[in-house]
Every structure is written in C-alpha cells, then in structure tokens.
DNA sequence: ATAGATGATTGGGC
DNA sequence: GCCCAATCATCTAT
C-alpha cells in the first residue's frame, strides 16, 4: 500500500512542478540590473579594489567627468570615499553570497531529508534553489541600487562642475576676446577654431565633463537621479551614469565645451549690454590693429587658421540703431555687409543687429577676421 | 559680507 | 546638434 501511495504522490508532484514551471519561466535578463552593473563597473566599484598603488588605478575610472588634471585634495578625498563605498559593497556582496550558499545548502539538505517521507523530485529541488537565488538576487539588486545612489551623491558633492568652476586664465580670456571682437560680425567659431582657441589660450581641451552636456546623459536615463534639490545638487549633467554600451552609441561631443560656453555667454552678455563692452571692444580692436601692423601689410592673412563656422562670409543686416557706426566698422574692418535680404551664410541665431557701435576702426589684417570675413 | 563677474547648466526653439 | 535666454553656483574685487 505504501509504495503505491508514494508513486501516486510522485505523479501528482510531477504534474504540479510542471504547472509551476509553466507559470513562471526564467525571467528575461533584467535590464535594470544590467544598468546597475554597468554603472558600478564604469565607476570602478564593481571591480575589487586593487591593492598597492591606489589612487592612480582608481582615478582613471573615478573621474569620468570631473577635472582630469585636478589633483586636488578634494580629489583624493573623493577617491578615498569611493574606495570606502567599494569596500562596503564588496563585503556586503560577499556576505549575501555566503548567506545564499548556506541557505541553499540548508534547504537542499532539508529537502533530501524530506524525500524520505515524501516525493521530492530533482526538478523540485532545482526549483527551490532557483527561488532562493531569485530572492537573493533581489537583495543584491537593492545593494547595488543603494551603492549607485551613494556613488551619485559622492559625485555630486565632489565633481559637480559648477562647484569646480575656475575662471579662465588671463591669456585664455585674451585669446577668446581677440577672436570675439575681431569676428564681431559673426562670432561663431568653427569646431577647428574652437580647438585652436583652446590650444592658444591654454584651455584644457577635454571631453565634455560629466556635467556639461546634459542631453547626452539624459537620452537613456533610468528613472533615478534627475536634477534634484539645490542643497544637494546631483551632478549637473550626469544625473545618472551611462552604461559602456550606451556610451559607445552616443554621438561625439564637442571637443571644446568651455570655448563654446564662453562664446555663448559672451554673445548673450555682449548683446545685452553693448555699452558696457564698448571699452573692452576698443581695447581688443586696437590690440589686433597693432598686431596686424606688426605682422605686415594690412593684407597679411595667411597665418590665421581661425575661421568662423557658418561660412566664411559674415554679413550684416542692419537692424540696430547704430547702423552708421556698424557700416563704418564693417568698412573699416573690410567686412562685407548687406542691406537687403540676408544671405545663406547669415550669422546664426539672433546675432544679426547686435554688431556694435565701435568707436574706432578695426584693423584690416586682424586675427583672421579680415581674412575670413573678407575672403568672400 | 557683498555685489558684480563669470563659467556652467537648463529648457526651449529651430 | 547648435543656439539663445535665463538661471545657477562659484569666484573675485571691494
């Protein structure tokens, strides 16, 4: 009687297990878990800490967006804190894994024990182990999530670009201003010009700092980490880190975001308050005039690689009250302008009309403006 | 301590 | 993808 009952039970069991398996098949690869893993990997948290020459090994991955050359105290502080997070993460992970192993063994033993009095198929054992692993995976995910959050907070505190703001050097400002005022009719440097300006001004030509190009970082954001309260700003443009895969798919960012920022700010501020910049404009225009005479004849043009981006011909549409002086300036700087409809290479945006009432004449052979502006 | 200057970020437009 | 305009956050001169 007993063996017969046992075999019936076995049959029932088999059916039950099959039905369970039918209901919950293996989960598809968890996208969020992958994201977390990728982020931890990218931040250098997922890898166990390398002993020995700490810092350099960590720094390479720990400053994806900050100031690569900024070996400040804050940076070592950042690395130390990141290292702490890493240690905690790995020790917790180890704990969870061990607990998982122990619990699995315990349950397996228990099932084996029970298999003497009731039918326990290998599949059922497998299923139980799977359930346990699933539970521990969930716990692991929580751990990873909180680790990510900790890293985010750390990044925001130490690497926020705004907090790191440094004024450009005098040389850099001069170079930029010279270009700006000598291309006043069309102050939109091309990518090459920006690089050249950055080089000349000693501005570090970096990849976009983590905080400087929000759009790239936002394309594939998970829900977490968007810009937060002002007291604890999440790292400006890097609310969330991208997976390496996502990084690879993204477009190449501008190589000179600082220069672009500078020109953006300059154009806006100049336009808003031309009067205020009048003096500065004069200084730079006369400066370039002197340079031009030093270099040679007014027609000397060959040496400047800096050309505006939106076509080499800069044009005016005279919409501001200072038309007369604009004309004068345009004439003085040998720049063409037009009264009628704008040509295709019209300065972009709303710059038209912002051309200034320069009180002195601009040189003919300035830093490329005459060359580039007049070349057409 | 404060105001103004300045570099960076953001949201929207094209 | 770049630009403008507004704004933020920090630096600097006073």
């Amino acid at each position: 009687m007993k063996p017969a009952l046992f075999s019936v039970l076995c049959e029932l069991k088999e059916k039950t297990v099959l039905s369970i398996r039918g209901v919950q098949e293996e989960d598809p690869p968890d996208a969020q878990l992958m994201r977390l893993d990728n982020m931890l990997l990218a931040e250098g948290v997922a890898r166990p800490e390398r002993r020995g020459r700490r810092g350099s090994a960590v720094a390479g991955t720990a400053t994806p967006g900050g100031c690569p050359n900024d070996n400040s105290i804050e940076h070592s502080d950042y690395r130390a804190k990141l290292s702490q997070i890493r240690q905690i993460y790995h020790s917790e992970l180890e704990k969870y894994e061990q607990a998982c192993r122990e619990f699995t063994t315990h349950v397996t033993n228990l099932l084996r024990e029970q298999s003497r009095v009731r039918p326990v198929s290998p599949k059922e054992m497998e299923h139980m182990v799977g359930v346990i692993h699933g539970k521990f995976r969930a716990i692991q995910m929580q751990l990873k999530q909180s680790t990510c959050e900790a890293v985010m907070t750390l990044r925001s505190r130490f690497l926020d670009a705004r907090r790191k703001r440094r004024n450009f050097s005098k040389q850099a400002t001069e170079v930029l201003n010279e270009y700006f005022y000598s291309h006043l009719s069309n102050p939109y440097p091309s990518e090459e010009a920006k690089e050249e300006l950055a080089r000349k001004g000693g501005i570090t030509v970096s990849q976009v700092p983590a905080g400087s190009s929000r759009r790239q970082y936002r394309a594939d954001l998970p829900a977490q980490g968007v810009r937060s309260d002002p007291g604890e700003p999440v790292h400006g443009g890097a609310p969330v880190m991208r997976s390496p895969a996502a990084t690879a798919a993204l477009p190449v960012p501008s190589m000179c975001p600082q220069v672009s920022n500078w020109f953006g700010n300059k154009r806006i501020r100049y336009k808003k308050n031309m009067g205020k910049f009048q003096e500065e404009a004069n200084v730079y225009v006369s400066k370039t005039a002197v340079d031009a005479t030093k270099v040679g004849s007014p027609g000397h043009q060959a040496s400047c690689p800096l050309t505006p981006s939106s076509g080499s011909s800069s044009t005016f549409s005279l919409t501001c009250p200072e038309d007369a002086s604009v004309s004068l300036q345009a004439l003085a700087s040998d720049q063409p302008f037009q009264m009628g409809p704008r040509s295709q290479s019209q300065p972009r945006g709303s710059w038209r009309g912002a051309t200034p009432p320069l009180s002195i004449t601009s040189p003919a052979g300035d830093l490329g403006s005459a060359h580039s502006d007049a070349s057409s």
Side-chain angles (χ1 to χ4, degrees):
Chain A
M1 189 64 181
K2 202 177 170 184
L5 265 176
F6 196 83
S7 77
V8 171
L9 272 171
C10 280
E11 221 170 283
L12 280 172
K13 209 64 186 178
E14 184 72 20
K15 281 178 188 166
T16 317
V17 169
L18 282 174
S19 68
I20 288 169
R21 286 178 62 83
V23 170
Q24 50 173 57
E25 268 306 326
E26 288 91 67
D27 295 318
D30 192 321
Q32 197 186 349
L33 188 61
M34 277 175 69
R35 260 203 307 269
L36 289 170
D37 280 339
N38 284 333
M39 178 190 154
L40 291 172
L41 206 62
E43 289 303 300
V45 174
R47 287 185 293 278
E49 173 130 30
R50 276 187 247 173
R51 302 282 167 200
R53 40 189 292 277
R54 258 191 49 206
S56 59
V58 177
T61 54
T63 56
C67 315
N69 300 322
D70 186 356
N71 294 317
S72 60
I73 299 164
E74 289 165 30
H75 249 73
S76 59
D77 213 15
Y78 172 84
R79 288 196 293 270
K81 291 249 192 304
L82 192 71
S83 172
Q84 272 182 18
I85 291 174
R86 187 187 300 109
Q87 275 172 8
I88 293 168
Y89 170 75
H90 283 290
S91 86
E92 289 295 307
L93 203 63
E94 182 58 37
K95 269 193 229 163
Y96 285 134
E97 274 168 3
Q98 187 165 351
C100 182
R101 277 195 299 272
E102 281 171 12
F103 193 65
T104 308
T105 315
H106 180 72
V107 170
T108 314
N109 288 340
L110 210 64
L111 285 173
R112 281 208 193 102
E113 197 83 3
Q114 287 189 358
S115 67
R116 282 189 236 158
V117 291
R118 69 181 182 92
V120 179
S121 67
K123 274 184 183 170
E124 193 184 352
M125 294 254 264
E126 214 174 280
H127 174 68
M128 281 305 290
V129 171
V131 168
I132 295 164
H133 285 181
K135 295 288 174 200
F136 274 94
R137 257 204 305 278
I139 296 170
Q140 260 188 23
M141 184 135 106
Q142 277 183 0
L143 172 67
K144 285 176 181 177
Q145 210 152 19
S146 54
T147 307
C148 282
E149 277 165 25
V151 173
M152 292 308 306
T153 310
L154 191 68
R155 280 169 62 91
S156 75
R157 189 167 296 160
F158 284 93
L159 299 178
D160 189 282
R162 284 183 179 181
R163 292 176 189 226
K164 288 275 168 197
R165 192 178 82 72
R166 295 277 180 280
N167 286 350
F168 289 160
S169 67
K170 208 177 169 201
Q171 189 204 351
T173 313
E174 294 225 335
V175 167
L176 294 169
N177 271 317
E178 273 175 26
Y179 185 95
F180 181 82
Y181 288 112
S182 63
H183 294 79
L184 210 43
S185 60
N186 188 27
Y188 298 86
S190 64
E191 205 57 35
E192 295 78 44
K194 283 179 196 168
E195 284 176 34
E196 180 73 9
L197 287 166
R199 195 182 57 74
K200 279 189 171 178
I203 298 165
T204 315
V205 180
S206 60
Q207 279 293 341
V208 177
S212 71
S213 187
R214 68 196 188 278
R215 290 178 177 100
Q216 304 167 47
Y217 285 84
R218 295 187 139 208
D220 57 344
L221 288 192
Q224 51 162 320
V226 283
R227 196 148 174 90
S228 60
D229 63 296
E232 190 63 35
V234 167
H235 189 232
V240 169
M241 276 149 265
R242 294 169 294 171
S243 68
T247 309
L250 287 166
V252 178
S254 163
M255 290 298 285
C256 306
Q258 298 99 318
V259 176
S260 302
N261 283 342
W262 190 92
F263 273 92
N265 284 325
K266 189 74 181 179
R267 283 191 296 266
I268 293 280
R269 285 163 187 166
Y270 179 85
K271 206 165 77 172
K272 270 187 181 172
N273 197 347
M274 287 190 210
K276 200 184 82 179
F277 288 96
Q278 180 69 66
E279 203 179 323
E280 188 180 67
N282 293 338
V283 167
Y284 280 102
V285 168
S286 57
K287 198 164 150 44
T288 48
V290 170
D291 290 349
T293 46
K294 271 188 201 162
V295 172
S297 67
H300 180 88
Q301 298 162 351
S303 64
C304 186
L306 307 179
T307 53
S309 58
S310 62
S312 56
S313 70
S314 61
T315 54
F316 292 114
S317 73
L318 302 176
T319 55
C320 68
E322 294 87 12
D323 284 353
S325 10
V326 170
S327 307
L328 277 175
Q329 192 227 346
L331 287 167
S333 58
D334 204 15
Q335 292 164 341
F337 66 94
Q338 62 184 53
M339 300 288 285
R342 286 183 281 129
S343 72
Q344 275 191 320
S345 54
Q346 174 69 25
R348 282 176 287 191
S350 54
W351 186 252
R352 62 180 194 279
T355 322
L358 281 185
S359 63
I360 70 167
T361 55
S362 122
D366 64 66
L367 280 175
S369 79
H371 160 54
S372 51
D373 291 351
S375 57
S376 63

